[in-house]
Amino acid sequence: MTDKHTFPILLVDDEEEILFTTSIALRSAGFSRVLTESDSRRVMEILSRQEVALVLLDLYMPHLPGYELLKKITANHPQIPVIVLTAANEVEMAVECMKAGAFDYFVKPVEQPRLLATVRRALEMHCLRSQVSSLSSRLLSGGLDNEGVFAPIITRSQKMRAIFQYLEAVAGSDQPLLVTGETGVGKELVARTVHDISGRTGPFVAVNIAGLDDMVFSDTLFGHRKGAFTGADQPREGLIAKAAKGTLFLDEIGDLQPSSQVKLLRLLQEQEYYPLGADTPSRATARIVVATNRDLKAMMAEGSFRKDLYYRLSAHQVLIPPLRDRREDIPLLVEHFFEEAATALSRQKPTIPAELAGYLGIYAFPGNIRELRAMVFDAMARHDKGVLSLASFREVIGPPRSPAETSPLPFLGGLGEESGHAGRMPTLKEAEDALITHALRMANGNQGIASAHLGITRQALNKRLSRKHEGRGEA
C-alpha cells in the first residue's frame, strides 16, 4: 500500500536551511512524513532499508554530486520518482537530468505552488506504478493478502475474486475510488472493505447525499462556524473533519447538484475546504470513496454531471456485477441469510428444499442481494416448522415456467433438428429429451436450475435422465 501517508518523501540537500524550509512547506501541504539528508553519500543506504515515495534532490553537493546520485537512484530504484532542484539555470544539465530519468527539474528559488503540484503528480505516478505491480503479482498468483477482510462479502464468483484483487491493489491509494453497480449489489460493503485494508487510522464515515441541496451538502461535509447563518448558534464539525485520516464514503454521487459538484471538485483538487463562515481553509486528510447506480457517462453527455469531476472521481473505479451475473453465489447467500434471519427472529433455521436454489436461479433479481435478503427474511417470518414453504418466493417470482412456455415457437421449431429427425414432428419422447437437453444447456449443466426451468423437481429430472440413458444403453 503506497500513498503519501505511508511512505515518506526524502529531501537531499547539503544546506540545512533549505532542508528545513522545504520540509515545513511539504508538511504544511499535508505531506506528513518527510525525511531529510544533508550527506549525499548516505542516500543509497537509506533507500536500501527504507521505502521512499519520492526524492527531492539538490544537484550540486560535495562528496557525491546530485547528477551522479540521480543516475544511481534511477538505476537501482526506478520506481522512485526524483525531482531535481538546483540554483544553476543550465539548460544542458536540465536536459541531461531528464535523460537520466528525473521526473522534473526546478531552478531555485522554486515557486511553492508549482513545486507542490509537481510533488503531488510524482506521488500519484509512484502510487499508480506500485498498484500496477501489486495487481500484476496478485493476478499471476491468484492470491489475496486479506482473505479474512473480504469474508463479509459472501461469494465464490471468479468475477468477484478478480475485483477483490483489484481492490487490494488500490486500497492504499490516496486517489478517489468510484464504485458503480445496480441498487442492492453491496457497494457500501465494498467501500467498507477497502477502508479496512487501506491501513488508514481514521474512521469510516458514510453519508447518502441523494436529495441534499447545496446548502445542506456544504454544511454536512464541511461544517460551519458559529454565526455562519441564521440559527448557527454553535460551530459544527463536518464529515470531512470527522473522517480525518480515514475514509469518507459518499453514496448516490450521481444525485449531486451542479453547484455541489464544483465544491467537491475543489476538495479533490486542492485537498482543502472552507467550513461555512470560515475565512481560512482547512486541510482534508480523508480518502474519498463514492458510489452510484446511475450511468455517469450518460449524465456527462447530457450535461448533468461535470466531466472534470468524473475524471477526478474515477482515478480508480470498479463495477460490482449484479446477482444475475453471478448466480453461483445464490446458494451461499440463501444459506447465510437464513442463518442471519433465524438469529434475528430467534427461531430455528428451517429445512431448505433442494429446489429453492434452482428456482431462485432463474429469477432476474432487479433488487439484487438486498432483494434476496428481504425475500429470505419474509419467508423466515412466515415459517412455522419443518420444511420451508416456497409460497412467499412464488408471490415475488411467480410459478416456475419452462422454456417452452416462455418462447414456444422458436424452441419447438428446432426440436426435430435437435432430435436428429428433421422434416417431421418429433415424438413425445424425443421432445422430452430435447427439452431436457436444452434446459441443461441453459443452466450450464446445473440440474437444480434446469429442473426449475422445466417446472419439475430435481428428483423428477434425475428419473427422466436415467430413463434417457437407459434408452441409449448407457445405464
Side-chain angles (χ1 to χ4, degrees):
M1 293 175 289
T2 307
D3 63 39
K4 72 184 183 191
H5 299 294
T6 304
F7 296 151
I9 297 172
L10 176 61
L11 306 182
V12 184
D13 199 304
D14 62 313
E15 297 183 41
E16 294 289 348
E17 183 180 349
I18 297 292
L19 292 177
F20 177 76
T21 56
T22 307
S23 63
I24 290 297
L26 289 171
R27 290 189 174 95
S28 299
F31 304 101
S32 57
R33 299 193 62 193
V34 180
L35 302 177
T36 59
E37 179 55 62
S38 58
D39 189 338
S40 58
R41 294 171 297 182
R42 292 200 288 260
V43 170
M44 295 308 295
E45 191 270 331
I46 291 173
L47 297 181
S48 67
R49 58 178 168 79
Q50 166 75 61
E51 290 276 10
V52 169
L54 170 66
V55 175
L56 269 67
L57 178 65
D58 183 36
L59 197 59
Y60 294 105
M61 294 180 290
H63 310 304
L64 181 61
Y67 178 67
E68 297 301 321
L69 182 55
L70 169 66
K71 292 191 290 184
K72 286 178 177 288
I73 295 173
T74 55
N76 294 278
H77 304 279
Q79 78 282 6
I80 302 177
V82 181
I83 297 175
V84 174
L85 307 174
T86 179
N89 188 3
E90 300 176 1
V91 175
E92 289 185 6
M93 179 53 70
V95 172
E96 289 301 315
C97 286
M98 298 304 286
K99 286 182 178 179
F103 181 82
D104 211 334
Y105 184 100
F106 285 94
V107 178
K108 301 175 184 177
V110 183
E111 295 179 14
Q112 191 174 115
R114 286 186 57 214
L115 176 62
L116 293 177
T118 303
V119 166
R120 289 192 181 98
R121 286 193 296 107
L123 289 173
E124 287 175 9
M125 185 189 74
H126 179 255
C127 186
L128 289 173
R129 282 177 177 174
S130 300
Q131 289 159 13
V132 169
S133 176
S134 175
L135 183 58
S136 298
S137 64
R138 285 183 175 89
L139 291 175
L140 290 173
S141 67
L144 292 170
D145 295 335
N146 300 274
E147 291 276 5
V149 181
F150 287 103
I153 304 177
I154 309 298
T155 184
R156 61 184 175 197
S157 165
Q158 288 302 311
K159 292 180 182 178
M160 293 300 294
R161 183 82 176 182
I163 288 172
F164 293 168
Q165 292 171 334
Y166 174 77
L167 292 176
E168 273 199 335
V170 304
S173 172
D174 266 354
Q175 297 301 303
L177 169 65
L178 171 62
V179 184
T180 59
E182 296 178 6
T183 182
V185 294
K187 296 186 287 294
E188 182 170 345
L189 183 57
V190 167
R192 287 183 180 275
T193 303
V194 169
H195 170 75
D196 290 341
I197 60 179
S198 68
R200 292 184 166 269
T201 57
F204 177 88
V205 177
V207 58
N208 189 318
I209 59 178
L212 299 185
D213 62 29
D214 184 58
M215 179 69 175
V216 177
F217 171 81
S218 300
D219 191 27
T220 300
L221 257 66
F222 308 138
H224 64 254
R225 298 287 185 260
K226 182 179 178 180
F229 51 85
T230 303
D233 300 327
Q234 298 293 330
R236 179 175 181 268
E237 189 178 54
L239 296 184
I240 285 287
K242 291 181 178 178
K245 297 184 179 179
T247 300
L248 179 63
F249 174 61
L250 305 178
D251 201 5
E252 306 296 351
I253 194 69
D255 294 341
L256 193 62
Q257 293 188 359
S259 53
S260 298
Q261 292 179 27
V262 176
K263 295 176 181 177
L264 180 58
L265 177 63
R266 174 180 171 78
L267 173 69
L268 296 173
Q269 288 178 332
E270 306 299 331
Q271 296 180 334
E272 62 182 28
Y273 62 97
Y274 286 86
L276 298 179
D279 296 325
T280 56
S282 298
R283 177 63 51 182
T285 59
R287 198 262 184 95
I288 304 295
V289 178
V290 301
T292 183
N293 57 15
R294 303 182 65 179
D295 186 346
L296 296 185
K297 291 183 178 180
M299 293 179 66
M300 282 194 300
E302 65 186 25
S304 59
F305 199 87
R306 294 180 64 96
K307 291 182 180 180
D308 46 6
L309 178 57
Y310 172 79
Y311 293 123
R312 274 285 176 181
L313 292 173
S314 60
H316 307 301
Q317 56 181 309
V318 61
L319 171 63
I320 310 301
L323 186 55
R324 62 182 172 274
D325 288 347
R326 46 186 178 109
R327 297 182 189 274
E328 63 270 34
D329 289 343
I330 292 176
L332 293 177
L333 290 165
V334 167
E335 188 74 18
H336 172 75
F337 289 145
F338 267 112
E339 290 178 358
E340 185 181 335
T343 301
L345 299 173
S346 300
R347 295 187 179 183
Q348 187 175 359
K349 182 183 170 186
T351 301
I352 303 173
E355 59 266 28
L356 176 60
Y359 183 41
L360 295 175
I362 62 172
Y363 182 54
F365 283 103
N368 291 288
I369 297 172
R370 185 183 295 128
E371 182 182 12
L372 175 59
R373 183 178 184 274
M375 292 167 66
V376 169
F377 268 71
D378 182 52
M380 189 69 201
R382 300 186 190 192
H383 176 69
D384 185 17
K385 59 182 178 179
V387 178
L388 180 76
S389 170
L390 301 185
S392 63
F393 294 97
R394 289 196 180 98
E395 289 178 9
V396 179
I397 301 175
R401 294 183 299 167
S402 69
E405 291 175 321
T406 56
S407 55
L409 293 177
F411 180 71
L412 290 176
L415 277 179
E417 297 177 5
E418 289 196 26
S419 60
H421 299 280
R424 67 169 177 81
M425 174 67 76
T427 66
L428 286 175
K429 178 66 171 63
E430 291 166 350
E432 179 182 277
D433 289 348
L435 278 167
I436 291 173
T437 300
H438 186 69
L440 286 169
R441 187 182 302 142
M442 288 178 63
N444 293 321
N446 187 307
Q447 293 185 9
I449 296 177
S451 63
H453 279 312
L454 295 166
I456 60 177
T457 65
R458 185 166 181 167
Q459 290 79 3
L461 176 60
N462 284 331
K463 288 182 181 179
R464 285 172 168 79
L465 287 172
S466 297
R467 289 201 302 268
K468 182 179 178 181
H469 293 156
E470 288 171 359
R472 294 176 178 171
E474 298 174 8

